[in-house]
Amino acid sequence: MSYTPERMTPLNACRLGLDTHQEPTIYLRQDSPVCRSEGFSALSRVLVRTEQRHLIATLHMVTGELLMPGEIGFSESAWKRLELREGTSVWLSHPKPVQSLSYIRSKVYGNELSQSELKEIIEDIVAGRYADVHLAAFITACGDDKLNIREITDLTTAMVESGSSIEWGLPIVVDKHCVGGLPGNRTTPILVSILTAAGLTMPKTSSRAITSPAGTADTMETLTNVSLSLDQMRTVVEQEGGCLAWGGSVKLSPSDDLLIQVERALDIDSEGQLIASVLSKKIAAGATHVVIDIPVGPTAKVRSQEAAEVLAANFKTVADTLGLKITTLFTDGSQPVGRGIGPSLEARDILAVLKQDPDMPKDLYQRASEVAGAVLEMVQGLGPGEGYKKAIEILNSGAAWEKFQAICHAQGAFKRPPIAPYRYELVAKTRGVVSCINNRKLAKVAKLAGAPADLAAGLDLHCKIGDPIEPQQTLLTIHAESSGELSYAVEYLEDHLDIIELAKDK
Amino acid sequence: MSYTPERMTPLNACRLGLDTHQEPTIYLRQDSPVCRSEGFSALSRVLVRTEQRHLIATLHMVTGELLMPGEIGFSESAWKRLELREGTSVWLSHPKPVQSLSYIRSKVYGNELSQSELKEIIEDIVAGRYADVHLAAFITACGDDKLNIREITDLTTAMVESGSSIEWGLPIVVDKHCVGGLPGNRTTPILVSILTAAGLTMPKTSSRAITSPAGTADTMETLTNVSLSLDQMRTVVEQEGGCLAWGGSVKLSPSDDLLIQVERALDIDSEGQLIASVLSKKIAAGATHVVIDIPVGPTAKVRSQEAAEVLAANFKTVADTLGLKITTLFTDGSQPVGRGIGPSLEARDILAVLKQDPDMPKDLYQRASEVAGAVLEMVQGLGPGEGYKKAIEILNSGAAWEKFQAICHAQGAFKRPPIAPYRYELVAKTRGVVSCINNRKLAKVAKLAGAPADLAAGLDLHCKIGDPIEPQQTLLTIHAESSGELSYAVEYLEDHLDIIELAKDK
């Protein structure tokens, strides 16, 4: 091989402090001799080597004075993956063609992908050999229903095998997933409390918000410490039967994290990739029994009962093959659940339900008990409705509330969620009945107010579909940590008063 | 509307001198208040406004000290499109969702795209509303044969209408295109000389190399000035009947330039997009009669006679509908044409053919005459073979050579191609017959030697398939402008001696 690093004059690494997210990026001066000799140009894929490590990165060119001759700049992700220090010697060359890209082309031509082809694709994705445009091609080629059940099953297995897995050594480890989150639908912490109080094991890892005003990890962060190592997580679970941790620190199904960012940008639904994404995370986390909550509604991810049934059937077939027990649940996806939207406000709702506060949001109490009931019926052999009854009993008895506090303490702290100093109330101008609530626009108001970065920011919704409304009645309250952000959210709200639609009284 | 630029505190523009190629990119500090309030994160698509202009850009975050608080950095493409100066006030907001992305999703679900949908997609691409991942999704969704003839026709029209067009006001304007270039297959300058000498109008615009060792524009640049404005091009064509200009300065079918870069990265063939790409450029350039050269061979883009015939038939159907006359030609794609590979070396071959040098590469002479003959037969009503005969006559008479010099002078100069000072000869170690030549690896050697940036760099191939070879006979010569590049190319060559395969003597 002529491209041994030793042969070429090395470049000196320079940290530029640029965050290009997951795509490792390098920066070279346009007049760099290596660009000329290797024929590199902007967006070239380049194999970057140090004496210890290597990765494939995308090249951006520098025409200004950002770099000195002989220097090579790095994005943060590239800098960290290569474990660089300032001035580390770096060699560049052309990467070998990525063989698995030809399987994606083959999928475009309508061919079925074999088990080994899917495995190679996922391995290359995890190794960083795919640029974002390649991920986009993979997602598009598998879009709609272009993966059959066998392919989905093999894809799931490949995704599990590409990362770490947790072994609990127990016959029953439960988990849940909700397809397409509704604002405020923060049932997970309540669920974990009920189910661990019922004696089950539920080592729950959750994500932070990516495009929503709050993820379960953001909400739990207002109440306890969520950045647990795998060892800390094990200790908490052994002690309390469950945990409520952030999934980011444990590398489960890492290809999923890479794909999901591009999937969001494209907004192309692939049923196969959705199923593989959800089930691979659950299997890697060591779950044996999983309940899948599928909210159905006009602004939810799944919009019709028929679509929900097809999705549920396919989830079931793939899970069966992989030895995972699942139950699917169809729930109402027409409006937010609970009152608060935003980390602290959702945490307050969760505490109200757990504490059985008379003023608690009934729909969240109801929803959490239903999902918990489905899990209990699945694993404890209870008849229809008995699980729900048992969940309600556990909540009402205060056992779930005690369990929740114990888990928080085991995770290192039980904190009070912060409260935002700035408020704005939207009042009804006319009499009427709430006929429609726009989930998407509500989420936008909460984000403009500062959620999730400002933990106390967001909004409180004071009405539900069907509620009669009097003039001057408060419909929602915006919470913000700064007056600038408050006015920002208010301006948007005033231009989008159709967020809550009122129909004339009957 | 609450998002009028006036309402928000503007950011100050800062030129970072980063070339991210076509994708406009902006850079913000991670602690920038606008990131928090708008919920922007790395890779967000952001609407960037100045008082005069706006565009959609991709956001990269800066974690270091590259930017001061209140500053926003710009890539070169974003800087130029917004016509910024240091410190220009800039406002950011969320772009409206791009409606046409839903048509791409619809294509993924197997639906046909309407004329207006295709038009909107192309308009959004030209307006810069698509990130590279969206272009990748569009290319993938249309891959293989997923566009029908009606869709290809409407796509072609949409691509033409999205950019400028040239009107020549003449009944016959000829052009040519070669599908999948072979190294050295530089027939275009000879063709233009023959056909304009025959009295035809051929206003030829060509591209520079993107992944190959030379484009026609690179080769012509060693002989004359190729950066002509549209007005200069008109003057040259009015005077000489033809030109040999670089297409980069005239904005014909601009969406094609954006798509082609991502198509290369993906290497996904879409017959529909290939046809639309080629025909849209020709129609926008004002051509009425076009010959399409389709090289067929094991390492060419089109690998079998059947594939070539299907492609030719579809080219014809679409061209017919759009009122463009075309002739397709199947040529030998199994090895390079001519001797030189690289701008200057190809220019030398072209001059040899035009001057009728006894040592000229016969295959290039032959190939150029065949393609020119096909054009003459198409537009001058000549019988089969008569066009070829006429082309040979024009070449042999010296009329093409005179015309070529006249066109170069009209373009501002007739220069002598530069010669490289460093050489390396590869000699045969054994006796044998040339059985196989690897086009791709030959191109790689020429690029490592410095082509196309170093105009004189590249290689000369001294043998063709079927040639008997004696031990110590020179098979190829590498040319380089620096000793470093020469040794670079030699190292690669020595590791890839299968570039030219010899079979044992019969």
Side-chain angles (χ1 to χ4, degrees):
Chain A
M1 256 297 288
S2 55
Y3 290 119
T4 49
E6 291 66 38
R7 293 273 188 96
M8 300 164 54
T9 313
L11 295 159
N12 298 319
C14 173
R15 185 176 196 161
L16 286 180
L18 286 165
D19 175 9
T20 56
H21 202 258
Q22 68 196 26
E23 185 160 313
T25 306
I26 56 168
Y27 302 83
L28 281 179
R29 287 171 67 103
Q30 204 152 38
D31 57 8
S32 166
V34 70
C35 287
R36 247 188 27 183
S37 60
E38 284 285 331
F40 293 143
S41 56
L43 302 194
S44 285
R45 298 283 286 166
V46 177
L47 178 63
V48 187
R49 289 175 187 275
T50 65
E51 296 197 343
Q52 279 78 39
R53 309 186 150 261
H54 62 94
L55 63 67
I56 298 177
T58 298
L59 173 62
H60 285 187
M61 305 293 264
V62 174
T63 54
E65 295 302 312
L66 220 53
L67 293 171
M68 304 280 289
E71 281 188 338
I72 173 171
F74 286 86
S75 70
E76 289 298 291
S77 55
W79 185 266
K80 285 171 191 154
R81 288 183 64 170
L82 285 169
E83 299 182 358
L84 293 170
R85 278 165 308 151
E86 286 295 332
T88 300
S89 291
V90 171
W91 291 265
L92 305 183
S93 59
H94 286 274
K96 272 195 291 189
V98 181
Q99 173 67 23
S100 71
L101 290 174
S102 70
Y103 310 148
I104 294 177
R105 288 192 277 280
S106 160
K107 188 77 208 165
V108 172
Y109 301 142
N111 300 316
E112 209 177 310
L113 294 177
S114 71
Q115 186 183 12
S116 65
E117 286 170 343
L118 286 161
K119 194 171 159 58
E120 206 175 316
I121 289 171
I122 293 299
E123 283 171 357
D124 283 337
I125 290 174
V126 173
R129 297 192 190 104
Y130 277 38
D132 284 348
V133 291
H134 300 131
L135 296 176
F138 178 52
I139 292 159
T140 308
C142 300
D144 194 21
D145 58 356
K146 293 190 179 63
L147 293 178
N148 63 29
I149 292 289
R150 205 267 312 141
E151 289 174 302
I152 300 172
T153 310
D154 288 338
L155 178 62
T156 309
T157 306
M159 288 171 79
V160 172
E161 289 173 355
S162 72
S164 12
S165 292
I166 313 181
E167 265 300 336
W168 297 100
L170 293 168
I172 295 179
V173 175
V174 301
D175 206 338
K176 66 87 71 154
H177 181 84
C178 179
V179 175
L182 289 177
N185 190 19
R186 202 62 57 212
T187 55
T188 298
I190 305 170
L191 216 63
V192 170
S193 307
I194 297 173
L195 296 172
T196 51
L200 296 176
T201 303
M202 187 165 189
K204 188 83 192 99
T205 58
S206 304
S207 57
R208 293 188 191 279
I210 299 182
T211 60
S212 71
T216 295
D218 301 306
T219 299
M220 283 309 301
E221 193 155 47
T222 70
L223 295 162
T224 186
N225 168 39
V226 294
S227 298
L228 304 183
S229 68
L230 198 49
D231 279 348
Q232 289 174 313
M233 203 173 127
R234 273 194 189 278
T235 309
V236 174
V237 173
E238 274 160 22
Q239 189 180 318
E240 300 298 338
C243 68
L244 281 153
W246 172 46
S249 34
V250 265
K251 285 260 169 202
L252 307 174
S253 192
S255 58
D256 190 44
D257 300 335
L258 297 168
L259 283 165
I260 221 158
Q261 187 76 21
V262 177
E263 270 165 11
R264 282 215 174 75
L266 296 179
D267 200 13
I268 288 176
D269 281 331
S270 160
E271 194 174 275
Q273 288 186 332
L274 168 66
I275 294 172
S277 162
V278 171
L279 296 186
S280 67
K281 286 270 190 212
K282 301 303 166 203
I283 294 170
T288 61
H289 292 70
V290 178
V291 60
I292 312 269
D293 175 8
I294 306 179
V296 186
T299 59
K301 192 174 179 81
V302 179
R303 300 187 181 195
S304 72
Q305 187 61 27
E306 303 77 64
E309 279 164 18
V310 170
L311 181 61
N314 289 338
F315 255 119
K316 193 132 186 49
T317 311
V318 175
D320 279 353
T321 311
L322 296 172
L324 188 71
K325 300 268 179 300
I326 69 164
T327 295
T328 50
L329 212 63
F330 304 137
T331 54
D332 175 20
S334 62
Q335 60 183 330
V337 179
R339 270 180 217 123
I341 300 175
S344 271
L345 298 167
E346 295 177 21
R348 184 210 52 205
D349 284 355
I350 289 163
L351 294 180
V353 170
L354 288 168
K355 288 181 184 173
Q356 298 288 295
D357 188 323
D359 189 36
M360 68 180 175
K362 291 284 185 315
D363 57 345
L364 181 63
Y365 167 80
Q366 197 66 28
R367 182 79 65 118
S369 309
E370 278 167 26
V371 182
V375 176
L376 290 168
E377 286 164 20
M378 169 165 53
V379 300
Q380 298 192 332
L382 304 177
E386 288 178 27
Y388 172 70
K389 237 178 81 188
K390 183 164 176 185
I392 293 277
E393 279 168 22
I394 293 171
L395 261 179
N396 292 356
S397 73
W401 170 224
E402 268 178 40
K403 200 65 188 171
F404 182 80
Q405 296 171 81
I407 290 172
C408 288
H409 284 299
Q411 292 190 189
F414 181 39
K415 301 184 289 188
R416 206 183 286 270
I419 291 171
Y422 296 91
R423 308 284 168 87
Y424 171 89
E425 297 200 337
L426 174 72
V427 297
K429 295 195 170 58
T430 57
R431 185 187 315 273
V433 172
V434 177
S435 59
C436 195
I437 295 177
N438 190 313
N439 291 326
R440 221 162 24 80
K441 289 182 183 171
L442 275 181
K444 171 98 182 179
V445 171
K447 286 196 288 177
L448 287 171
D454 295 352
L455 294 173
L459 63 86
D460 266 327
L461 184 64
H462 304 294
C463 57
K464 293 278 163 188
I465 290 173
D467 284 358
I469 301 292
E470 293 299 313
Q472 298 307 313
Q473 186 175 335
T474 305
L475 298 172
L476 64 82
T477 307
I478 303 176
H479 297 239
E481 294 190 5
S482 77
S483 61
E485 284 168 316
L486 184 68
S487 62
Y488 220 33
V490 171
E491 277 177 25
Y492 177 85
L493 182 63
E494 283 178 348
D495 285 337
H496 298 83
L497 290 174
D498 59 344
I499 276 186
I500 299 171
E501 286 179 37
L502 300 186
K504 289 258 175 292
D505 274 327
K506 283 140 287 184
Chain B
M1 257 300 288
S2 54
Y3 289 118
T4 49
E6 292 68 38
R7 292 272 189 95
M8 300 166 53
T9 314
L11 295 159
N12 298 319
C14 174
R15 185 176 196 161
L16 285 180
L18 286 166
D19 175 9
T20 57
H21 202 257
Q22 69 197 24
E23 185 159 312
T25 306
I26 57 169
Y27 302 84
L28 282 178
R29 286 171 66 102
Q30 203 150 41
D31 58 7
S32 166
V34 70
C35 287
R36 248 186 28 182
S37 60
E38 284 284 329
F40 293 143
S41 57
L43 300 195
S44 285
R45 298 283 287 167
V46 177
L47 178 63
V48 187
R49 287 175 189 277
T50 65
E51 297 198 342
Q52 279 80 37
R53 310 185 150 261
H54 62 94
L55 63 68
I56 298 178
T58 298
L59 174 61
H60 286 186
M61 306 293 263
V62 174
T63 53
E65 295 303 312
L66 220 51
L67 293 169
M68 303 280 290
E71 282 188 336
I72 172 171
F74 285 86
S75 71
E76 289 299 289
S77 55
W79 186 266
K80 285 172 191 156
R81 288 182 64 169
L82 285 169
E83 299 181 359
L84 294 169
R85 277 164 309 149
E86 286 295 333
T88 300
S89 290
V90 171
W91 291 267
L92 303 184
S93 58
H94 286 274
K96 272 195 291 189
V98 180
Q99 174 66 25
S100 71
L101 291 174
S102 69
Y103 310 149
I104 294 177
R105 288 191 276 280
S106 160
K107 188 76 209 166
V108 171
Y109 302 142
N111 300 317
E112 206 177 311
L113 294 176
S114 72
Q115 185 182 13
S116 66
E117 286 170 343
L118 286 161
K119 193 171 157 60
E120 209 175 312
I121 289 171
I122 294 298
E123 282 170 358
D124 283 338
I125 290 175
V126 173
R129 297 193 189 102
Y130 278 38
D132 284 349
V133 292
H134 301 130
L135 295 176
F138 178 51
I139 291 161
T140 309
C142 299
D144 193 22
D145 58 356
K146 293 190 179 62
L147 293 177
N148 64 29
I149 292 289
R150 205 267 313 139
E151 289 175 302
I152 301 172
T153 310
D154 287 339
L155 178 61
T156 309
T157 306
M159 288 171 79
V160 171
E161 288 172 355
S162 72
S164 13
S165 292
I166 313 180
E167 264 299 335
W168 297 101
L170 293 168
I172 296 178
V173 175
V174 301
D175 207 338
K176 66 89 70 154
H177 182 82
C178 179
V179 175
L182 290 178
N185 190 17
R186 202 62 56 212
T187 55
T188 297
I190 305 170
L191 217 62
V192 170
S193 306
I194 297 173
L195 296 172
T196 51
L200 296 175
T201 302
M202 187 165 189
K204 190 83 193 94
T205 58
S206 303
S207 57
R208 292 188 193 278
I210 300 180
T211 59
S212 69
T216 294
D218 300 308
T219 300
M220 283 308 300
E221 196 157 43
T222 68
L223 294 162
T224 186
N225 169 39
V226 295
S227 297
L228 304 183
S229 69
L230 198 48
D231 280 347
Q232 288 173 313
M233 203 174 127
R234 272 193 191 281
T235 309
V236 174
V237 173
E238 273 160 23
Q239 190 181 316
E240 299 298 337
C243 67
L244 282 153
W246 173 46
S249 34
V250 266
K251 284 262 170 200
L252 307 174
S253 191
S255 58
D256 189 45
D257 300 335
L258 297 168
L259 284 165
I260 221 158
Q261 186 76 19
V262 177
E263 272 166 9
R264 283 216 174 75
L266 296 179
D267 200 13
I268 288 177
D269 281 330
S270 160
E271 191 174 279
Q273 288 186 331
L274 169 66
I275 294 172
S277 162
V278 171
L279 296 186
S280 68
K281 286 272 189 209
K282 300 304 166 200
I283 293 170
T288 61
H289 293 69
V290 178
V291 60
I292 312 267
D293 175 8
I294 307 179
V296 186
T299 60
K301 192 176 180 80
V302 179
R303 300 186 181 195
S304 72
Q305 187 61 27
E306 304 75 64
E309 277 164 19
V310 171
L311 180 62
N314 290 338
F315 254 119
K316 191 128 188 52
T317 311
V318 175
D320 279 353
T321 312
L322 297 171
L324 188 70
K325 300 268 179 304
I326 69 163
T327 295
T328 49
L329 213 62
F330 305 137
T331 54
D332 174 21
S334 62
Q335 60 183 331
V337 179
R339 269 181 218 123
I341 300 176
S344 271
L345 297 169
E346 294 178 21
R348 182 210 54 203
D349 284 354
I350 289 163
L351 294 181
V353 170
L354 288 168
K355 287 183 184 172
Q356 298 288 293
D357 188 323
D359 190 36
M360 68 181 174
K362 291 284 184 316
D363 58 344
L364 181 63
Y365 166 81
Q366 197 67 26
R367 182 79 65 118
S369 307
E370 277 167 27
V371 181
V375 177
L376 290 169
E377 286 165 20
M378 169 165 54
V379 300
Q380 297 192 332
L382 303 178
E386 287 178 29
Y388 171 70
K389 236 178 84 190
K390 184 165 174 183
I392 293 278
E393 279 168 21
I394 293 171
L395 261 179
N396 292 356
S397 74
W401 170 225
E402 268 179 38
K403 200 64 186 173
F404 182 79
Q405 296 172 79
I407 290 172
C408 288
H409 283 299
Q411 291 191 190
F414 181 39
K415 300 186 288 188
R416 206 183 285 268
I419 291 172
Y422 295 91
R423 309 283 167 87
Y424 172 88
E425 296 201 339
L426 174 71
V427 296
K429 294 195 172 55
T430 56
R431 187 185 313 272
V433 172
V434 178
S435 60
C436 196
I437 296 177
N438 191 313
N439 291 326
R440 222 162 24 80
K441 289 183 182 171
L442 274 181
K444 171 98 180 177
V445 171
K447 287 195 288 176
L448 286 171
D454 295 351
L455 295 173
L459 64 85
D460 267 325
L461 184 64
H462 303 296
C463 57
K464 294 281 162 185
I465 291 174
D467 284 356
I469 301 291
E470 293 299 315
Q472 298 306 313
Q473 186 174 334
T474 306
L475 298 172
L476 64 82
T477 307
I478 303 176
H479 297 240
E481 294 188 6
S482 77
S483 61
E485 286 168 316
L486 185 67
S487 63
Y488 220 33
V490 170
E491 278 177 24
Y492 177 84
L493 183 62
E494 283 178 350
D495 285 337
H496 298 83
L497 289 175
D498 59 344
I499 277 187
I500 299 171
E501 287 179 36
L502 299 187
K504 290 257 176 293
D505 273 326
K506 283 140 287 183

